[in-house]
């Protein structure tokens, strides 16, 4: 079985999908040359400009044209070069793509995938490091996924492209070359809306996704070896719809809950998960539900010291886990 990076998994999956289905097309800024992260490198030569299409620097038009293409029988994959720049396209995504099935009483659907590299830890500064997933998890009609391993990158991207409705596909850019793993050559899909238990332990449960999920696993191993505390670590993988069954089942099993994400703490996904557990698993709790998120500042700083202050880390997560375990 081939070992690939997250970035290689994304590129090879798009290639495999386009070879299988002539209705799939790709558009975005500089995608013909491979894009800023080289996620589409080599695809122009194989599929030509009718299917690999550079666009102007106008995210609203990238998504708007993709919506029109999807309504006319194509399956576009739209690339937003950095998730930070998705904001001009939010009206197209929320007012149009998310509502097509609802407004047409099911007569129309909008099969569209919007890929958006997100997150900090690369010294990208103000406009190249944001986590904007919560903007879209609030909107019914959209599915939002955030895989963090090469295996999941392939399985969830295939599921997203095959989905009849719009999917926002967040790729944490720090994991592109950092994370490697085995990826089967044959096609497979991972169902959207299904979390994965990455580690099992009886003392507390940690929920996370993206880059922070890998930090949670490292912190859990540290606590196990230094403190004898065993943590269950759940990779949410899909942020909308949430896997309520796995969340409640694993929360009830330990009674102590920590939710970790890179997005700002206030209004982040952690609040929704905490409310879900408090409403449906309150009697099982043995302590307060804790959240660890980014501080409520407007953006991830460029300065490396301030960026480190903003970002989650295995040490910060381990400290929060110790506090929770001792409660």
């Amino acid at each position: 079985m081939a070992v690939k990076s997250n970035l290689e998994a994304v590129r090879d999956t798009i290639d495999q999908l386009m070879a299988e289905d002539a209705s799939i097309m790709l558009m975005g800024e500089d995608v013909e040359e491979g894009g800023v992260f080289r996620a589409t490198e080599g695809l122009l030569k194989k599929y030509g400009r009718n299917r690999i299409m550079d666009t102007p620097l106008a995210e609203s038009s990238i998504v708007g044209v993709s919506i029109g293409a999807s309504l006319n029988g194509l399956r576009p994959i739209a690339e937003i070069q950095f998730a930070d720049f998705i904001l001009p396209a939010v009206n197209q995504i929320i007012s149009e793509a998310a509502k097509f099935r609802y407004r047409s009483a099911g007569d129309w659907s909008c099969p569209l995938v919007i890929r958006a590299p997100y997150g900090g830890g690369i010294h990208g500064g103000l406009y190249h490091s944001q986590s904007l997933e919560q903007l879209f998890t609030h909107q019914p009609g959209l599915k939002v996924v955030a895989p963090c391993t090469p295996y999941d990158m392939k399985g969830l991207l295939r599921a997203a492209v095959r989905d009849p409705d719009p999917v926002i596909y967040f790729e944490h850019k720090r994991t592109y070359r950092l994370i490697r793993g085995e990826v089967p050559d044959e096609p497979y899909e991972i169902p959207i809306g299904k979390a994965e238990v990455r580690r099992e332990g009886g003392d507390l449960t940690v929920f996370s996704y993206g880059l922070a999920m890998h930090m949670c696993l490292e912190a859990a191993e540290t606590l196990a070896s230094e403190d004898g505390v065993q943590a269950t670590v759940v990779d949410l993988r899909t942020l909308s719809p949430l896997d309520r069954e796995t969340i409640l089942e694993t929360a009830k099993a330990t009674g102590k809950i920590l939710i970790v994400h890179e997005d700002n703490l206030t209004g982040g996904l952690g609040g929704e998960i905490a409310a879900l557990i408090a409403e449906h698993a309150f009697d099982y709790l043995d302590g307060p539900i804790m959240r660890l998120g980014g501080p409520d500042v407007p953006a991830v700083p460029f300065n490396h010291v301030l960026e480190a202050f903003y970002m989650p880390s295995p040490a910060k997560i381990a400290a929060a886990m110790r506090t929770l375990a001792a409660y």
Side-chain angles (χ1 to χ4, degrees):
M1 190 181 302
V3 174
K4 299 180 181 180
S5 66
N6 274 357
L7 182 65
E8 291 167 339
V10 169
R11 181 169 54 230
D12 293 350
T13 303
I14 294 173
D15 187 2
Q16 193 175 57
L17 284 163
M18 295 190 76
E20 296 170 3
D21 185 348
S23 71
I24 296 172
M25 60 175 295
L26 181 69
M27 66 175 67
E29 296 154 10
D30 300 326
V31 294
E32 292 182 3
E33 295 299 319
V36 68
F37 295 107
R38 318 311 294 170
T40 58
E41 190 169 35
L43 298 181
L44 175 65
K45 186 176 181 180
K46 295 183 73 171
Y47 301 106
R49 283 196 166 84
N50 285 337
R51 298 182 65 191
I52 307 293
M53 194 175 298
D54 268 356
T55 67
L57 196 68
E59 286 74 13
S60 179
S61 72
I62 295 172
V63 175
V65 171
S66 296
I67 291 171
S70 75
L71 298 176
N72 285 278
L74 299 178
R75 286 186 176 271
I77 301 173
E79 180 180 294
I80 303 296
Q81 205 167 66
F82 289 86
D84 313 59
F85 302 121
I86 204 170
L87 295 176
V90 165
N91 185 48
Q92 291 287 349
I93 296 170
I94 290 180
S95 297
E96 306 299 337
K99 293 179 170 60
F100 254 101
R101 181 177 291 280
Y102 189 80
R103 69 190 280 194
S104 67
D107 289 341
W108 291 75
S109 65
C110 185
L112 162 66
V113 174
I114 302 173
R115 295 181 44 245
Y118 78 108
I122 61 164
H123 311 303
L126 195 61
Y127 294 115
H128 301 84
S129 300
Q130 295 178 63
S131 294
L132 298 169
E133 55 270 25
Q134 190 62 1
L135 276 177
F136 303 104
T137 57
H138 177 71
Q139 176 58 51
L142 294 177
K143 297 182 179 73
V144 182
V145 300
C148 68
T149 68
Y151 184 90
D152 287 359
M153 286 281 177
K154 176 173 181 175
L156 278 165
L157 183 54
R158 291 189 65 90
V161 172
R162 298 299 182 199
D163 197 283
D165 294 303
V167 178
I168 313 293
Y169 188 87
F170 281 110
E171 303 162 8
H172 198 294
K173 64 178 83 73
R174 180 72 179 92
T175 71
Y176 267 155
R177 294 175 174 82
L178 178 68
I179 303 300
R180 301 183 64 84
E182 292 186 336
V183 182
D185 293 331
E186 62 271 15
Y188 63 89
E189 293 185 12
I190 295 173
I192 292 175
K194 185 63 181 173
E196 177 77 3
V197 178
R198 299 285 183 193
R199 187 185 193 281
E200 294 191 64
D203 295 316
L204 57 93
T205 300
V206 183
F207 298 101
S208 192
Y209 55 93
L211 175 66
M213 205 287 303
H214 296 284
M215 297 175 179
C216 291
L217 285 172
E218 184 177 340
E221 293 303 321
T222 299
L223 252 70
S225 62
E226 296 182 0
D227 303 74
V229 173
Q230 297 294 336
T232 290
V233 178
V234 179
D235 180 4
L236 296 171
R237 301 198 296 189
T238 296
L239 310 185
S240 181
L242 286 169
D243 183 353
R244 295 163 60 101
E245 182 178 352
T246 298
I247 291 172
L248 293 175
E249 183 179 295
T250 51
K252 290 176 181 178
T254 67
K256 292 185 177 181
I257 313 302
L258 172 65
I259 307 153
V260 181
H261 55 65
E262 189 178 317
D263 195 5
N264 301 117
L265 185 66
T266 300
L269 194 63
E272 180 63 29
I273 297 171
L276 176 67
I277 295 169
E279 185 174 359
H280 298 285
F282 181 79
D283 290 342
Y284 295 84
L285 295 178
D286 292 324
I289 301 173
M290 293 180 60
R291 295 176 295 156
L292 178 62
D296 292 330
V297 298
V300 182
F302 176 81
N303 176 281
H304 69 94
V305 175
L306 296 177
E307 184 184 45
F309 173 78
Y310 179 96
M311 295 290 291
S313 70
K316 293 177 185 177
I317 296 166
M321 291 168 70
R322 286 191 177 96
T323 299
L324 183 60
Y327 186 86

